[in-house]
Amino acid sequence: MKNILLVFGLVISLNTFSQNSTVKTETFAVKGNCEMCQTRIENAADIKGVKISKWDVEKKFITVTYDSTKTNIEKIQKAIAAKGYDVGELKGDDKAYAKLPGCCQYRDRTHEGK
């Protein structure tokens, strides 16, 4: 009986902690083409407060897990755009985009959707 009560108490404690958590996970579109883009995009998203970022090469979406007391989704998106990648409606920095390798330049390209 003690074990059941202990487990029940632990479950309630964990549930309360998770409800008050400041850690959030969000997914949004980021244009890119290849695995090199994946590395650059994930590195760009790696700002203070971001725990995990994973860009899906096929779907062109990034999922980020972050501490909302240290950063927010707008800061993460701006950090990615500063490296030349279009993030949703936010256009990537043109100078940074021009410095991307040719395979990573997706604007006005026929392979953009691939």
Side-chain angles (χ1 to χ4, degrees):
M1 186 68 173
K2 282 184 180 181
N3 288 341
I4 294 173
L5 290 175
L6 182 63
V7 170
F8 183 70
L10 183 60
V11 169
I12 289 175
S13 296
L14 289 174
N15 190 29
T16 302
F17 174 74
S18 67
Q19 289 176 355
N20 295 328
S21 178
T22 59
V23 176
K24 297 184 178 188
T25 299
E26 298 196 37
T27 301
F28 52 89
V30 179
K31 288 190 177 180
N33 289 326
C34 60
E35 286 79 17
M36 285 178 35
C37 293
Q38 180 180 21
T39 300
R40 284 184 176 83
I41 291 166
E42 290 173 358
N43 286 342
D46 189 21
I47 62 173
K48 183 178 180 180
V50 172
K51 307 292 184 191
I52 302 169
S53 64
K54 181 69 178 163
W55 185 70
D56 187 309
V57 176
E58 297 298 318
K59 295 179 182 175
K60 313 296 187 223
F61 278 86
I62 191 169
T63 300
V64 291
T65 301
Y66 63 97
D67 182 338
S68 63
T69 64
K70 296 180 180 177
T71 192
N72 59 50
I73 202 68
E74 291 82 18
K75 288 179 184 176
I76 299 166
Q77 290 174 336
K78 286 179 180 179
I80 296 169
K83 298 297 182 182
Y85 291 94
D86 296 346
V87 181
E89 298 297 317
L90 182 61
K91 186 178 178 190
D93 180 81
D94 288 331
K95 288 181 182 179
Y97 177 83
K99 292 179 182 178
L100 292 174
C103 64
C104 295
Q105 294 185 1
Y106 49 84
R107 295 179 186 158
D108 301 320
R109 292 265 177 139
T110 56
H111 66 282
E112 176 181 353
K114 292 183 183 176

